[in-house]
């Protein structure tokens, strides 16, 4: 059997050797990382009016030429770019047909070779096109290539579809240019339908009506082993298409979880003589849309966890490179996403190749930002160019004919004409092909549709990001609701990265065109925002239960397998126990171990058992990490073992031999003192006025103020000595003077630690609850923070963090306008302790669970009108607050209240004082010399 295989492989390779293959010669670089200089003349704008050099491929604006425009600009520049270069034709191409190929050029492109025009002017920016130049070239000497690119098209429907859009619009040859040499009779393109069952159909489209042609397709695996062969039956007469079909046994299906690729070598011959051979990468994969049911991949119902992506990089605009495609696909998969939508145009070819090889489902889109779309004549050309380039990518599961009303219905029938797989055509924002893709729906929306209808629904844009809003905020509620609905096929968040271009005309300013481009889950250079990690946790295909660890815990955790195809025994699990001995990164000790992977099939639940050391209860945190078969982290979950009081008792200074703390009534204030610390407490309000340590003032003051919109009044400030320590007990009442709204007690300990115990009854239907202090922001350099981090949270974006000790460097980042992440200011959940790094440092620890720290108030975006900015939540008036309730954050298009249960006001109910909110804080001011 092995001998037969080797003989077949030898004969196949021999045939390929004698067959003619397509040869390529690049005239430009292959991407932004290896661009080649051509001569260039820009007719208007910057650096216009003289011949210079320009990199090809590139957008000419990012090379310093012409005029920058965002798609919403009213008066757009209409400059032209004139390109010149020289090339030579290899001598052995004389018997071949030669084409010049442009992968993408914005926008109208006229090509001349040796002074003669090659074909018609191409219109449309994002599509590969070619022109035959066989009869225009010289052999044995240089050939002149002249290209004229008009930024604005002579076809107004192209301008409307591509340039009157909510994205940056550029000019130039922004994708590679190369020569292609083929035999006189050649394969134009192929359309292959390789099903997960091993059934295969293929259409081989020929260069013309050729006579006496037969064809074969040989399929090889990744080890270059032939696994199957399909051949046509020889037939006389002329034809321009040959169809093959057959079955290949024992194939491994392609999916986003297991992106197994094969090579298909397709050849045409005449009477045994090979004429032309091409090779395609294919995956055996089946996509079905079952009306009123769902979308199935390889027979399994699919939930798409997707994001919209532009082809974009700050320094090069729409010109990218393969490494960027690899990085972006890995970035998307790092969020546990399985899908990406091309918004709003076909991407670079290499991006689809990477989606094929690394595993992402793709919506490939014909450009039309909104109405009106391409007109029918030019639209027919562009649909053909898009599909003939992209048709065989197994990653593509849907086509999209435009966006948000930009649908030319005359073009819909063309997609199945070219696509042998008959993939569904979407109208993103509308219902089409049995799928409702409505955009930016509110939580639980629908009257006889969406969450309350009979049709499949899959929003192709949702939870629109802007600054630090949207994306992860609200996602938990949406995803839980979608998972409970059998008609949901998932969603696509808007969008992956902030579109900020480095303005060569503005000293390198990173320009998002105000709010228009500041809507990414990452920054322009892929800096991760907080939502990145929220999404990562919510969309993890392995889900661990929420669990409060107690001494009686059986060391088991329930897991749920949310993969479509993968058993969790293909994943790896490990644990780490951590103990915090002091408030520094170096003060964390840990021990780790592996966890046996359970045999848990998709859709099922199982348990993992942790083999922990005997002293595991002495630690503070349990971390459990799951990784996939590629050793990519799915997520690391944090479980509290100890509690804040346990950590505070360990970290705070104690000196049993220290003198007792003292209290003095100094008229307008009480002075509590110990170990060099003096705290002044106002006698009228009970609030901290100032702290002095060794003669130096620590400006923590005006607290604890109750965060409330109700009027409360201080009724009493009472002193007593208890357990040898001075106490000041403060009581606040409501307007009627009777009902206690708030109470707290100051206690000075002999160590100089100032203890605060507080108790309040929050209102019902509130956005914030807690206590707050004033502290000047000036001079703050950072903080060491023991909390859930390193990113801030909101009520509807609590997931994604890790309980740990974090070194937080001060910044005044405005998310989406500057990109120094993680942001310093904001809300931090599961607060245990903090040491503030400033000229007058101090530390504070919590003695109770579930406190949220408010650490200064973030600056408000300067580039967006405040009256319609739903991404700025409320903050308390003070600068440092200790809270039990914080507000949610909205999206670009809506207030937070539209986005699910976690986005609503907090509700409070409970009888008796034991249902009040209580807290305990320990302020350590002995840190100046530590």
């Amino acid at each position: 059997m092995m001998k037969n295989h080797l003989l077949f492989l030898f004969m196949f390779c021999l045939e390929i050797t004698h067959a003619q293959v397509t040869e390529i010669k690049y005239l430009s670089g292959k991407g932004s990382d290896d661009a080649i200089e051509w001569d260039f003349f820009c007719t208007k704008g910057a650096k216009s009016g003289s011949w210079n050099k320009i990199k090809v491929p590139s957008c000419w604006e990012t090379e310093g030429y012409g005029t920058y425009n965002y798609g919403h600009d009213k008066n757009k520049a209409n400059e032209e770019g004139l390109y010149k270069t020289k090339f030579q034709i290899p001598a052995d191409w004389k018997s071949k047909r030669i084409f010049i190929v442009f992968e993408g050029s914005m926008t109208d492109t006229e090509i001349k070779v040796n002074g003669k025009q090659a074909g018609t002017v191409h219109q449309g920016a994002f599509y590969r096109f070619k022109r035959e130049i066989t009869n225009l070239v010289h052999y044995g000497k240089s050939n002149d290539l002249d290209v004229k690119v008009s930024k604005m098209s002579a076809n107004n429907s192209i301008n409307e579809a591509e340039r009157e859009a909510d994205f940056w619009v550029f000019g130039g040859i922004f994708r590679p240019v190369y020569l292609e040499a083929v035999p006189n009779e050649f394969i134009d393109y192929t359309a292959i339908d390789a099903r997960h069952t091993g059934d295969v159909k293929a259409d081989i489209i020929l260069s013309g009506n050729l006579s006496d042609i037969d064809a074969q397709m040989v399929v090889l695996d990744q080890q270059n082993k032939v696994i199957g062969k399909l051949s046509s039956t020889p037939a006389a007469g002329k034809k321009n298409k040959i169809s093959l079909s057959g079955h290949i046994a024992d194939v491994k299906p392609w999916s986003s979880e297991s992106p197994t690729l094969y090579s298909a070598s397709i050849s045409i011959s005449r009477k045994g003589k090979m004429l032309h051979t091409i090779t395609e990468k294919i995956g055996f994969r089946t996509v079905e849309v079952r009306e009123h049911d769902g979308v199935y991949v390889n027979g399994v119902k699919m939930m798409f966890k997707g994001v919209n992506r532009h082809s974009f990089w700050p320094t090069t605009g729409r010109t990218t490179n393969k490494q960027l495609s690899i990085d972006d696909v890995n970035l998307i998969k790092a969020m546990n996403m399985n899908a990406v939508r091309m918004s709003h145009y076909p991407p670079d070819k290499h991006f689809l190749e990477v989606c094929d090889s690394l595993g992402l489902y793709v919506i490939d889109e014909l450009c039309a930002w909104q109405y009106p779309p391409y007109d029918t004549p030019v639209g027919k050309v562009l649909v053909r160019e898009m599909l003939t380039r992209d048709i065989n990518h197994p990653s593509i599961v849907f086509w999209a004919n435009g966006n948000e009303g930009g649908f030319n219905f005359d073009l819909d029938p063309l997609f199945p004409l070219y696509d042998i797989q008959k993939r569904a055509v979407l109208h993103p924002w509308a219902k089409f092909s049995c799928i409702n893709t409505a955009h930016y729906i509110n939580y639980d929306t629908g009257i006889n549709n969406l969450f309350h209808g009979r049709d499949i629904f899959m929003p192709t844009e949702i939870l629109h990001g802007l600054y630090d809003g949207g994306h992860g905020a609200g996602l938990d509620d949406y995803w839980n609701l979608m998972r409970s609905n059998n008609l949901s096929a998932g969603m696509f968040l808007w969008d992956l990265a902030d579109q900020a271009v480095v303005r060569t005309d503005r000293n390198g300013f990173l320009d998002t065109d105000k709010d228009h481009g500041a809507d990414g889950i990452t920054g322009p250079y892929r800096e991760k925002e907080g939502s990145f990690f929220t999404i990562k946790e919510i969309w993890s295909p392995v889900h661990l239960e929420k669990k409060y660890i107690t001494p009686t815990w059986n060391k088991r955790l329930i897991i749920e397998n949310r993969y479509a195809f993968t058993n969790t025994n293909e994943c790896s699990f490990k644990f780490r126990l951590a103990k915090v001995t002091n408030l520094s990164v170096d003060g964390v000790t840990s021990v780790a171990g592996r966890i046996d992977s359970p045999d848990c099939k998709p859709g099922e639940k199982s348990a993992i058992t942790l083999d922990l050391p005997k002293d595991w209860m002495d630690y503070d945190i349990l971390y459990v990490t799951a990784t996939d078969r590629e050793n990519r982290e799915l997520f690391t979950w944090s479980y509290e073992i100890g509690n804040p009081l346990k950590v505070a008792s360990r970290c705070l200074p104690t000196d049993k031999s220290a003198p007792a703390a003292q209290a003095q009534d100094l008229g307008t204030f009480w002075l509590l003192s110990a170990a060099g610390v003096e705290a002044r407490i106002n006698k009228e309000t009970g609030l901290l006025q100032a702290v002095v340590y060794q003669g130096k003032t620590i400006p923590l003051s005006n607290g604890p103020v109750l965060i409330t919109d109700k009027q409360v009044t201080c009724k009493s400030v009472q002193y007593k000595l208890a357990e040898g320590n001075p106490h000041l007990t403060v009581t606040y009442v409501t307007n009627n003077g009777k009902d206690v709204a708030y109470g707290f007690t100051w206690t000075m300990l002999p160590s100089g630690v100032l203890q605060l115990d507080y108790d309040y009854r929050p209102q019902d239907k509130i956005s914030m609850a807690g206590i707050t202090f004033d502290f000047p922001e000036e001079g703050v350099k950072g903080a060491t923070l023991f909390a859930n981090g390193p990113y801030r949270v909101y009520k509807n974006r609590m997931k994604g963090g890790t309980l740990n000790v974090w070194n937080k460097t001060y910044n005044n980042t405005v998310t989406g306008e500057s990109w120094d992440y993680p942001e310093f200011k904001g809300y931090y959940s599961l607060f245990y302790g903090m040491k503030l790094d400033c000229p007058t440092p101090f530390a504070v620890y919590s003695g109770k669970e579930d406190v949220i720290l408010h650490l200064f108030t973030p600056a408000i975006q300067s580039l967006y009108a405040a009256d319609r900015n739903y991404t700025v939540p409320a903050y308390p008036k003070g600068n440092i607050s200790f809270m039990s309730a914080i507000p949610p954050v909205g999206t670009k298009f809506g207030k937070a209240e539209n986005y699910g249960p976690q986005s609503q006001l907090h509700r409070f109910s409970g009888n008796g004082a034991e249902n009040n909110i209580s807290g305990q804080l320990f302020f350590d001011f002995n840190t100046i010399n530590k």
Side-chain angles (χ1 to χ4, degrees):
M1 188 71 180
M2 178 60 71
K3 288 182 178 179
N4 290 338
H5 165 70
L6 291 174
L7 178 62
F8 180 85
L9 182 59
F10 172 77
M11 294 301 295
F12 169 70
C13 292
L14 190 64
E15 288 179 342
I16 295 298
T17 301
H18 287 88
Q20 296 193 66
V21 297
T22 301
E23 296 184 68
I24 300 293
K25 179 178 179 178
Y26 277 85
L27 304 183
S28 72
K30 295 181 180 179
S32 58
D33 53 352
D34 66 350
I36 293 173
E37 285 191 339
W38 291 11
D39 295 326
F40 183 69
F41 183 100
C42 188
T43 60
K44 297 179 183 178
K47 291 171 65 175
S48 62
S50 62
W51 283 96
N52 292 286
K53 298 289 185 180
I54 194 170
K55 294 176 182 177
V56 181
S58 70
C59 300
W60 65 55
E61 296 86 350
T62 61
E63 296 299 307
Y65 295 95
T67 305
Y68 287 88
N69 279 127
Y70 197 84
H72 290 328
D73 292 350
K74 296 300 182 184
N75 298 309
K76 294 185 180 64
N78 63 348
E79 64 255 19
E80 293 178 343
L82 310 180
Y83 295 80
K84 288 180 181 291
T85 193
K86 294 181 180 292
F87 65 91
Q88 290 192 328
I89 300 292
D92 59 359
W93 284 14
K94 276 190 176 181
S95 61
K96 300 178 182 291
R97 293 175 67 178
I98 302 170
F99 294 83
I100 188 167
V101 183
F102 287 70
E103 288 286 343
S105 180
M106 289 183 280
T107 299
D108 288 1
T109 305
E110 176 189 271
I111 306 161
K112 289 185 178 179
V113 175
N114 297 322
K116 296 180 180 179
Q117 185 165 320
T120 59
V121 173
H122 184 267
Q123 297 179 319
F126 303 101
Y127 309 88
R128 183 178 70 186
F129 64 94
K130 60 179 70 177
R131 296 291 184 261
E132 186 165 7
I133 59 172
T134 307
N135 298 324
L136 302 180
V137 298
H138 306 308
Y139 290 87
K141 62 179 182 179
S142 290
N143 293 271
D144 294 325
L145 174 62
D146 293 87
V147 183
K148 181 172 75 173
V149 178
S150 300
K151 193 170 178 179
M152 299 295 287
S153 178
N155 182 321
N156 193 54
S157 76
I158 288 177
N159 295 327
E160 294 281 3
E162 295 182 358
R163 306 190 71 79
E164 298 296 326
D166 190 3
F167 48 78
W168 287 102
V169 290
F170 297 100
I173 302 172
F174 71 104
R175 289 178 181 167
V177 182
Y178 51 90
L179 301 178
E180 188 177 80
V182 294
N184 286 313
E185 297 175 312
F186 62 93
I187 299 169
D188 189 9
Y189 69 93
T190 61
I192 301 170
D193 183 11
R195 300 286 173 124
H196 76 288
T197 58
D199 294 331
V200 182
K201 295 188 296 182
D203 286 339
I204 303 169
I205 312 303
L206 307 175
S207 56
N209 290 316
L210 307 183
S211 60
D212 302 322
I213 298 292
D214 58 355
Q216 70 171 5
M217 183 170 78
V218 177
V219 179
L220 301 92
D221 65 15
Q222 292 177 328
Q223 287 72 45
N224 213 32
K225 177 184 176 181
V226 175
I227 64 165
K229 178 180 177 182
L230 282 65
S231 299
S232 66
T233 303
K238 292 185 176 182
K239 62 184 80 172
N240 64 4
K241 181 177 79 171
I242 300 174
S243 297
L244 308 176
S245 62
H247 180 81
I248 297 176
D250 301 323
V251 298
K252 295 180 180 179
W254 185 98
S255 70
S256 70
E257 297 170 22
S258 300
T260 303
L261 293 175
Y262 294 83
S263 295
S265 180
I266 304 104
S267 301
I268 58 172
S269 59
R270 178 183 290 117
K271 297 179 181 179
K273 181 183 178 181
M274 285 284 188
L275 300 177
H276 189 210
T277 298
I278 64 171
T279 300
E280 297 273 7
K281 288 289 187 183
I282 63 169
F284 288 84
R285 185 269 295 121
T286 308
V287 182
E288 303 169 88
V289 176
R290 301 179 187 175
E291 188 174 9
H292 306 311
D293 183 356
V295 179
Y296 287 76
V297 174
N298 302 338
V300 175
K301 185 177 275 192
M302 192 57 53
M303 289 278 283
F304 295 104
K305 302 177 293 184
V307 68
N308 287 264
R309 176 192 183 262
H310 274 288
S311 300
F312 188 85
W313 191 249
T315 57
T316 57
R318 299 269 174 254
T319 302
T320 67
N321 58 69
K322 187 166 185 176
Q323 186 58 53
L324 176 59
S325 290
I326 293 170
D327 293 345
D328 273 3
V329 170
N330 280 323
L331 189 72
I332 292 167
K333 289 183 74 74
M335 287 185 278
N336 291 314
M337 295 178 173
N338 62 8
V340 61
R341 176 187 172 210
M342 302 296 94
S343 50
H344 294 288
Y345 41 79
D348 300 88
K349 177 79 170 173
H350 49 70
F351 185 80
L352 296 175
E353 292 169 348
V354 175
C355 290
D356 292 341
S357 63
L358 296 183
L360 276 181
Y361 302 115
V362 174
I363 301 175
D364 199 7
E365 185 158 304
L366 186 77
C367 189
W369 177 63
Q370 288 182 348
Y371 186 84
Y374 295 128
D375 64 38
T376 299
V378 76
K380 287 181 176 180
V381 173
L382 300 180
V383 169
R384 185 187 190 279
E385 289 173 347
M386 177 173 124
L387 266 71
T388 56
R389 189 197 74 164
D390 297 347
I391 200 167
N392 292 326
H393 289 284
S395 56
I396 296 174
V397 294
F398 297 110
W399 306 108
N401 179 9
N403 172 68
E404 294 186 340
F407 317 127
N408 183 334
F409 292 85
D410 292 341
L411 303 180
D412 289 317
L414 298 180
F415 288 84
L417 255 174
Y418 293 106
D419 183 14
I420 192 173
Q421 298 179 34
K422 312 302 181 192
R423 283 163 281 202
V425 179
L426 304 179
H427 286 181
W429 171 86
K431 179 189 168 188
F432 197 73
S433 296
C434 305
I435 302 177
N436 192 335
T437 57
H439 287 179
Y440 305 115
I441 60 175
N442 290 341
Y443 180 83
D444 204 22
T445 292
I447 300 176
N448 294 336
N449 68 355
L450 299 172
F451 288 103
H452 301 281
R454 294 174 180 259
D455 295 310
I456 304 165
F457 65 102
M458 182 186 72
T460 40
E461 294 179 30
I462 198 169
L463 294 173
H464 196 304
L466 178 66
Y467 305 129
D468 203 26
H471 301 139
L475 179 62
D476 197 30
D477 285 332
Y478 271 77
W479 194 243
N480 288 334
L481 189 62
M482 285 186 166
R483 290 188 72 250
S484 71
N485 192 311
N486 285 331
L487 291 172
S488 170
M491 61 165 74
F492 291 77
L493 300 171
W494 186 271
D495 72 337
L496 178 63
D498 290 339
Q499 288 187 79
V501 64
V502 175
R503 292 289 294 264
T504 57
D505 59 340
R506 296 175 62 183
N507 297 317
F509 171 66
L510 266 172
D511 188 2
T512 59
D513 196 54
K514 298 182 180 180
D515 62 294
H516 293 135
D519 43 19
I521 301 168
T522 68
Y525 290 105
R526 306 330 189 234
E527 305 93 333
K528 298 180 180 71
E529 296 182 7
S531 276
F532 183 98
F533 299 95
T534 306
I535 296 163
K536 183 182 183 73
E537 178 175 359
I538 294 168
W539 278 352
S540 172
V542 174
H543 179 76
L544 265 66
E545 67 173 324
K546 183 177 180 180
K547 184 79 175 178
Y548 295 111
I549 305 296
T550 67
T552 60
W553 176 51
N554 63 3
K555 304 176 188 176
R556 286 164 57 88
L557 292 170
I558 302 301
I559 71 164
E560 180 183 358
N561 186 345
R562 294 181 178 178
Y563 277 111
F565 303 101
T566 303
N567 192 309
T568 57
N569 60 20
E570 299 180 58
C571 299
S572 298
F573 297 84
K574 62 183 179 181
F575 73 84
R576 182 167 67 91
L577 294 166
K579 181 177 183 178
V580 179
T581 57
N582 59 71
L583 202 55
S584 70
V585 173
D586 295 333
V588 180
T589 60
S590 63
V591 62
R594 63 178 299 275
I595 304 170
D596 290 337
S597 301
D599 180 5
C600 183
K601 297 176 182 177
E604 295 184 353
K605 292 184 178 182
S606 185
I608 54 174
T609 300
L610 285 71
D611 185 15
L612 301 178
K614 291 181 179 180
D615 63 347
W616 67 272
M617 277 297 296
D618 293 339
Y619 290 85
D620 300 313
I621 314 165
L622 167 67
Y623 301 107
V624 178
T625 299
T627 55
D628 66 12
R629 63 159 70 94
E630 303 298 329
N631 203 33
R632 179 185 286 113
E633 184 199 62
L634 300 176
F635 196 70
T636 295
W637 292 265
S638 309
Y639 294 91
E640 295 173 275
I641 298 175
N643 57 63
L645 183 58
K646 178 180 174 183
V647 173
S649 299
R650 186 188 307 137
C651 296
L652 285 166
T654 56
D655 184 356
K656 294 181 180 180
S657 63
Q662 302 295 315
Q664 294 177 270
D665 183 349
L666 297 180
T668 60
F669 63 89
W670 283 95
L671 181 68
L672 306 182
S673 60
V677 176
E678 296 180 346
R680 297 180 181 183
I681 310 297
N682 187 287
K683 289 180 67 175
E684 296 293 327
T685 63
L687 301 182
L688 182 66
Q689 290 184 196
V691 177
V692 177
Y693 176 63
Q694 294 184 349
K696 191 169 185 177
T697 298
I698 298 174
L700 181 71
S701 64
N702 196 33
V705 171
L706 183 66
I707 300 168
T708 179
D709 58 4
K710 297 286 187 179
Q711 186 67 39
V712 294
T713 304
C714 183
K715 181 180 180 180
S716 63
V717 179
Q718 296 181 331
Y719 168 78
K720 70 175 181 178
L721 190 68
E723 299 179 354
N725 298 317
H727 290 60
L728 290 173
T729 300
V730 183
T731 303
Y732 276 73
V733 294
T734 59
N735 276 343
N736 62 19
K738 299 178 181 178
D739 297 331
V740 176
Y742 175 39
F744 56 90
T745 298
W746 292 106
T747 303
M748 179 63 80
L749 303 177
S751 61
V753 171
L754 184 62
Q755 178 178 330
L756 174 66
D757 294 272
Y758 59 92
D759 178 280
Y760 66 93
R761 190 171 187 81
Q763 302 159 234
D764 188 23
K765 297 182 180 180
I766 54 170
S767 64
M768 296 184 292
I771 61 170
T772 187
F773 292 81
D774 287 342
F775 191 88
E777 190 175 326
E778 184 180 359
V780 173
K781 297 179 180 178
T784 303
L785 180 63
F786 185 7
N788 199 34
Y791 288 82
R792 61 195 183 194
V793 297
Y794 307 102
K795 181 175 184 281
N796 57 355
R797 200 187 79 185
M798 297 295 283
K799 290 187 174 181
T802 302
L803 180 60
N804 205 347
V805 177
W806 302 100
N807 276 338
K808 298 280 294 181
T809 302
Y810 176 87
N811 59 53
N812 196 28
T813 297
V814 178
T815 311
E817 290 183 5
S818 55
W819 293 273
D820 188 2
Y821 300 149
E823 302 92 340
F824 180 74
K825 304 177 189 179
Y827 295 119
Y828 295 90
S829 62
L830 295 180
F831 172 71
Y832 274 59
M834 175 189 70
K835 179 179 178 181
L836 201 61
D837 182 7
C838 60
T840 53
F842 70 93
V844 57
Y845 296 84
S846 175
K848 292 289 183 75
E849 297 95 341
D850 300 321
V851 172
I852 300 168
L853 173 70
H854 159 227
L855 181 60
F856 300 106
T857 297
I860 295 176
Q861 293 81 13
S862 62
L863 302 178
Y864 198 49
D867 61 345
R868 56 190 179 97
N869 190 346
Y870 308 123
T871 66
V872 179
Y875 287 91
K877 291 181 179 180
N879 286 334
I880 297 178
S881 313
F882 305 91
M883 306 174 68
S884 295
I886 60 172
V889 67
T891 72
K892 181 171 185 175
F893 293 142
K895 297 178 180 179
E897 64 197 45
N898 296 320
Y899 300 113
Q902 294 176 55
S903 299
Q904 306 309 307
L905 294 174
H906 294 267
R907 304 301 306 268
F908 178 81
S909 179
N911 299 314
E914 62 272 13
N915 279 301
N916 286 359
I917 301 294
S918 64
Q920 185 178 55
L921 298 171
F922 301 94
F923 294 91
D924 179 11
F925 301 105
N926 288 313
T927 60
I928 291 179
N929 299 319
K930 291 182 182 179

